[in-house]
Amino acid sequence: MKSWFIQSSAQSTAVELREVPVPEPKPGEVLVKMRAAGLNRGEFIAGHGLSGTGAKAGGIEGAGEVAKLGEGVSNFKAGDRIMGRASGAYAEFALLRADFALPAPPKMSWEEAAGASIAYLTAYDMLWPGGELKSGEWLLVTGAAAGVGVASVQLGKLIGAKVIGTSGSAEKLKRLAALGLDLGLQNRNGGFEKAVMEATGGKGVNLVVNNVGGTVFAECIRALAYRGRLATVGYVDGVVTAELDILALHAKRLKLFGVSNKLRGPAEVAEGVRGFARDVLPALASGHVRPVIDKVFPFADLPHAKAYMESNAHLGKIVLRS
């Protein structure tokens, strides 16, 4: 089968199409005939994740039809439509752990199902168990036009929160308003604190989702309300250090947490998937929440899809279609 591999160094990433054997599912795994796979920026950031480890089969989320079941799998059968975290999703066939996979609702296209996994599971992790966001609270999403940012806006509105989003693009903010964004602030690397405090009556927001990184970290702290929570999920600015106002942390009883799966065990990931199936999947299945797909590229065009993602022109998910 054909499979795209990613090679990362400290300076750059490159992709290469290879011919490899179709993988065999191990116990607890499902072999899936891939129909679509979502791109995720983390896989392509130079020096992040794959650097120095050699080429690796690319793609960590996708959707397709069950082709073969590993030993012990009873929650799916051959031919089922499924989606979720995958190993080597930029390929004709890929493996999914059965306890990480979700049924792909019939109303969703393959492209939507492929784009409804990592970004939406990550947003769920931040807004539900991590951020404990409640209806009527304020949510601030920096870098709101990225895949996780858009998912955070949509799921924030699903909860019933009032959502503020930042982006360097007025056009993207206009499109986010159509998804329910209550206030769009056009800035790229800071300068939102005053407007946030005005919008919240001087109280600040209850939860911040920081997709941008260290350049806005201190301002995110200043924009938080009493007992506010700050989720750090990305650093597209490349800045991974920041000053921490310990007085504000102390006085406002803040909660700061990171969002990553690098050190999570399988049982913890599976628990998050079950929570997502309970709290978010029904909204996806009904069409109340629809994954935002910016652009779809044919399987052979991964290099162009990667270049498009790196141009930062997109809003929502970029998808590779088999």
Side-chain angles (χ1 to χ4, degrees):
M1 70 171 188
K2 292 181 172 59
S3 175
W4 283 102
F5 278 66
I6 302 173
Q7 175 68 63
S8 179
S9 70
Q11 291 77 37
S12 64
T13 59
V15 295
E16 176 188 356
L17 188 61
R18 298 183 180 181
E19 190 72 32
V20 298
V22 175
E24 280 291 318
K26 297 175 184 176
E29 293 183 337
V30 179
L31 179 68
V32 177
K33 169 64 177 174
M34 298 305 295
R35 298 298 183 184
L39 269 66
N40 289 276
R41 188 180 295 273
E43 283 202 279
F44 299 99
I45 296 176
H48 177 244
L50 299 176
S51 181
T53 63
K56 182 178 179 180
I60 56 175
E61 69 174 336
E65 297 155 336
V66 174
K68 191 173 183 180
L69 303 174
E71 182 182 345
V73 176
S74 59
N75 54 330
F76 295 109
K77 64 181 185 301
D80 280 353
R81 288 167 46 97
I82 67 172
M83 64 188 193
R85 302 178 187 275
S87 176
Y90 303 151
E92 294 178 271
F93 291 87
L95 295 173
L96 278 72
R97 283 184 56 122
D99 54 352
F100 291 4
L102 294 157
K107 287 186 178 181
M108 295 177 70
S109 67
W110 287 122
E111 292 84 356
E112 289 173 329
S117 300
I118 297 297
Y120 289 80
L121 281 161
T122 301
Y124 173 78
D125 191 4
M126 291 186 289
L127 272 55
W128 267 262
E132 300 179 309
L133 187 65
K134 303 293 190 297
S135 178
E137 289 191 322
W138 284 94
L139 168 66
L140 169 63
V141 183
T142 69
V148 171
V150 173
S152 297
V153 170
Q154 290 179 291
L155 297 192
K157 296 308 297 181
L158 178 65
I159 289 171
K162 294 167 284 189
V163 185
I164 303 170
T166 74
S167 172
S169 167
E171 178 58 33
K172 290 181 180 180
L173 289 171
K174 187 183 299 183
R175 292 170 63 189
L176 286 169
L179 298 176
L181 185 70
D182 295 284
L183 175 62
L185 302 176
Q186 188 181 354
N187 53 67
R188 194 172 300 279
N189 289 320
F192 50 78
E193 178 192 359
K194 181 179 178 182
V196 167
M197 298 307 288
E198 288 176 352
T200 59
K203 294 181 179 180
V205 296
N206 305 100
L207 176 64
V208 175
V209 168
N210 182 10
N211 287 296
V212 175
T215 56
V216 300
F217 184 87
E219 193 168 8
C220 288
I221 294 287
R222 295 195 299 271
L224 280 170
Y226 176 66
R227 290 189 178 273
R229 291 84 71 190
L230 170 59
T232 296
V233 65
Y235 33 88
V236 294
D237 59 5
V239 179
V240 295
T241 59
E243 289 189 5
L244 173 60
D245 184 343
I246 296 178
L247 288 176
L249 177 70
H250 179 212
K252 294 198 285 186
R253 300 182 68 92
L254 303 179
K255 175 183 175 182
L256 315 182
F257 63 100
V259 183
S260 171
N261 287 309
K262 286 184 179 180
L263 302 178
R264 294 179 95 188
E268 190 177 356
V269 174
E271 182 182 2
V273 171
R274 290 193 297 271
F276 181 90
R278 178 189 64 239
D279 298 324
V280 178
L281 190 59
L284 291 169
S286 69
H288 181 68
V289 174
R290 294 193 64 182
V292 177
I293 307 302
D294 182 278
K295 197 165 185 178
V296 178
F297 288 82
F299 177 78
D301 280 351
L302 178 58
H304 293 112
K306 172 179 176 289
Y308 179 66
M309 182 189 66
E310 292 168 344
S311 75
N312 293 319
H314 63 292
L315 184 144
K317 294 293 294 187
I318 301 168
V319 173
L320 205 64
R321 184 69 159 91
S322 299

